[in-house]
């Protein structure tokens, strides 16, 4: 009797890395219930909370990224890297994985490098349309690189690339027949045009400023807003406006029922993280993307442009959003033909079974190919 497949999944730092990692783990467990999975994250980052909540064991590495503008904080980086490498090699020796999966984030580098030193096959799940420095370097020896965008052979060996899309949380994109229920849950009118504004769990300052500045324009057009502010901004906005600012404005720190918000919306305004874009392609609604300028290699702009060039989304630069975003959104809402075109084109870019396809690749690398998911 063969022993159960053992897989290390490494990475995290943001929901955009963590949720795909958990989706891959869940797909592996559906395919091979006896599969043993160990997560490796960065101590103090959100994966240390989210992964155990999903039912998986996680071990943290004491590692962090370069702190811009702080020479003192960066002095400890070489020591953290050496310590993380030692721990990564020890984890490989103790757990004896058949395959290692890297999803991006601080912890991915040491554990994938350790796997390469021990000749253990590893798979990289590159979420963005522009690969980061670490993944480009590690991609040279990766057995498989699973990507979500075209033209990734500029970063990785073409023979090892597989376009799978980004895994998404299935419950979040299940919006069929939920429009009325979503509006009612949020205490909104299901017959009025509604814009969802979301900047992620922490929030996006530019999106919040843009909406707050032009709330009266939205109210004047009798357009409703589901405004997810993020935890950094919620308190200040509520102190300035009050929770019951206007019946058309629903102010929330976080959306626990994202599917209901997606279902209630006619138009979505969002940052351009890879995970969010994967969800929006499956939601199939008109989208305005405002890429964050505060990310490595400006990858959110590149993610957004991958949709824009297929007429699947509109893009407004962060620096222009405060003046242009709301007026562009109101104009788009009135243009039924353009909304229909955007919805159809973004839907064509959806890749719904990424978690299943990636999990299959992991099992193939482990010598367990051919296992099918129990659906």
């Amino acid at each position: 009797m063969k022993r159960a497949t053992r897989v290390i999944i490494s990475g995290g730092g943001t929901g955009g890395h963590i949720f795909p990692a958990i989706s891959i783990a869940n797909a592996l467990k559906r395919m091979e219930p006896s599969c043993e999975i160990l997560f490796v994250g960065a101590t103090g980052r959100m994966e240390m909370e989210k992964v155990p909540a999903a039912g998986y064991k996680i071990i943290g590495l004491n590692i962090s990224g370069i702190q811009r503008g702080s020479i003192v904080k960066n002095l400890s980086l070489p020591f953290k890297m050496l310590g993380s490498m030692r721990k990564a090699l020890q984890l490989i020796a103790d757990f004896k994985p058949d395959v290692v999966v890297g999803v991006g984030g601080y912890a991915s580098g040491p554990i994938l490098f350790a796997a390469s030193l021990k000749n253990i096959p590893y798979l990289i799940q590159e979420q963005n349309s522009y690969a980061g420095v670490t993944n480009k370097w590690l991609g040279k020896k990766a057995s498989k690189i699973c990507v979500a965008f075209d033209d990734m052979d500029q970063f990785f060996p073409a023979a090892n690339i597989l376009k799978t899309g980004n895994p998404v949380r299935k419950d979040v994109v299940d919006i069929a027949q939920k429009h009325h229920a979503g509006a009612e849950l949020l205490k909104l009118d299901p017959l009025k045009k509604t814009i969802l504004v979301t900047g992620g769990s922490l929030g996006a300052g530019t999106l919040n400023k843009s909406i707050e500045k032009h709330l009266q324009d939205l109210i004047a057009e009798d357009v409703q807003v589901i405004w997810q502010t993020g935890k950094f901004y919620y308190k200040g906005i509520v102190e300035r406006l009050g929770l019951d600012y206007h019946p058309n404005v629903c102010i929330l720190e976080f959306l626990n029922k994202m599917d209901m918000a997606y279902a209630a919306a006619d138009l979505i305004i969002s940052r351009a993280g890879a995970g969010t874009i994967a969800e929006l392609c499956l939601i199939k609604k008109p989208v305005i993307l405002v890429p964050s300028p505060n990310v490595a290699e400006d990858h959110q702009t590149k993610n957004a442009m991958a949709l824009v060039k297929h007429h699947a989304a509109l893009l407004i630069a962060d620096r222009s959003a405060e003046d242009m975003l709301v007026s562009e959104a109101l104009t788009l809402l009135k243009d039924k033909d353009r909304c229909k075109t955007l919805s159809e084109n973004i839907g064509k870019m959806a890749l719904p079974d990424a978690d299943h396809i990636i999990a299959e690749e992991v099992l193939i690398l482990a010598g367990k190919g051919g296992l099918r998911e129990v659906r």
Side-chain angles (χ1 to χ4, degrees):
M1 182 178 173
K2 281 189 177 181
R3 75 174 174 95
T5 305
R6 292 182 164 220
V7 180
I8 289 179
I9 301 178
S10 61
T14 67
H17 295 311
I18 297 160
F19 295 127
I22 292 170
S23 295
I24 294 166
N26 290 342
L28 283 167
K29 293 297 275 187
R30 289 195 299 270
M31 288 174 161
E32 186 188 320
S34 63
C35 181
E36 295 179 33
I37 298 170
L38 175 66
F39 278 78
V40 178
T43 304
R45 304 292 289 186
M46 65 187 288
E47 59 264 28
M48 303 308 291
E49 176 189 335
K50 298 290 184 185
V51 169
Y56 296 101
K57 181 181 178 182
I58 184 166
I59 293 173
L61 301 180
N62 182 25
I63 189 166
S64 59
I66 295 170
Q67 303 291 315
R68 292 175 188 173
S70 177
I71 295 172
V72 174
K73 287 183 180 177
N74 290 328
L75 291 175
S76 64
L77 279 181
F79 303 100
K80 284 184 177 181
M81 183 59 75
L82 284 170
S84 293
M85 271 307 306
R86 278 197 297 269
K87 191 167 182 179
L89 286 164
Q90 191 61 53
L91 285 172
I92 295 281
D94 293 344
F95 189 72
K96 297 179 175 60
D98 299 294
V99 185
V100 174
V101 177
V103 297
Y106 301 138
S108 262
I111 205 78
L112 291 182
F113 186 50
S116 73
L117 293 176
K118 296 296 182 181
N119 294 315
I120 292 166
Y122 64 89
L123 177 150
I124 291 173
Q125 200 259 314
E126 173 56 67
Q127 286 125 18
N128 292 297
S129 61
Y130 192 92
V133 174
T134 304
N135 273 359
K136 281 190 277 190
W137 175 56
L138 290 165
K140 293 171 184 175
K141 290 188 176 180
S143 301
K144 189 69 67 173
I145 304 107
C146 296
V147 303
F149 296 92
D150 293 326
D151 304 320
M152 296 302 285
D153 54 354
Q154 61 185 304
F155 308 113
F156 303 116
N160 296 336
I161 293 173
L162 180 66
K163 188 180 177 185
T164 61
N166 284 320
V168 300
R169 294 166 287 172
K170 302 292 187 187
D171 57 322
V172 165
V173 297
D174 179 16
I175 67 166
Q177 311 301 318
K178 290 183 181 178
H179 176 78
H180 278 67
E184 287 169 14
L185 178 71
L186 297 162
K187 298 181 176 148
L188 297 172
D189 185 341
L191 301 179
K192 288 185 180 181
K193 291 292 184 185
T194 302
I195 299 173
L196 167 63
V197 182
T198 174
S201 58
L202 301 180
T206 298
L207 298 189
N208 289 333
K209 286 177 191 172
S210 303
I211 296 303
E212 187 169 350
K213 184 176 179 179
H214 296 283
L215 271 177
Q216 287 304 317
D217 298 336
L218 293 159
I219 290 164
E221 295 285 344
D222 202 23
V223 170
Q224 298 178 139
V225 186
I226 305 165
W227 182 7
Q228 186 257 314
T229 65
K231 75 174 188 177
F232 283 171
Y233 304 95
Y234 179 75
K235 187 179 177 184
I237 289 168
V238 168
E239 283 175 353
R240 286 191 298 276
L241 303 177
L243 261 179
D244 301 316
Y245 177 77
H246 190 277
N248 279 6
V249 181
C250 175
I251 304 172
L252 299 160
E253 177 181 342
F254 186 73
L255 284 160
N256 291 313
K257 299 285 288 180
M258 196 72 196
D259 56 325
M260 291 299 197
Y262 278 146
D266 299 287
L267 169 65
I268 299 163
I269 295 171
S270 173
R271 287 303 202 188
T276 299
I277 285 179
E279 290 177 2
L280 295 173
C281 290
L282 290 162
I283 296 300
K284 301 176 187 175
K285 292 194 174 183
V287 172
I288 299 177
L289 297 171
V290 184
S292 171
N294 307 312
V295 293
E297 286 100 10
D298 195 25
H299 68 247
Q300 284 205 7
T301 296
K302 297 175 177 76
N303 291 346
M305 286 305 299
L307 270 65
V308 170
K309 72 180 183 182
H310 292 289
H311 306 288
L314 302 186
L315 184 156
I316 292 180
D318 188 87
R319 64 183 177 275
S320 306
E322 211 170 317
D323 294 324
M324 293 176 54
L325 180 58
V326 169
S327 62
E328 286 289 326
L330 289 171
T331 300
L332 180 57
L333 271 180
K334 293 172 186 173
D335 191 336
K336 289 183 180 178
D337 289 340
R338 196 175 192 195
C339 282
K340 185 171 182 284
T341 299
L342 288 170
S343 298
E344 288 174 352
N345 288 343
I346 200 169
K348 289 173 186 173
M349 299 185 73
L351 295 164
D353 297 317
D355 56 346
H356 172 73
I357 297 166
I358 294 168
E360 276 198 328
E361 290 300 316
V362 171
L363 293 175
I364 289 168
L365 291 178
K368 303 273 185 80
L371 287 170
R372 304 325 266 183
E373 183 171 349
V374 179
R375 292 186 182 271

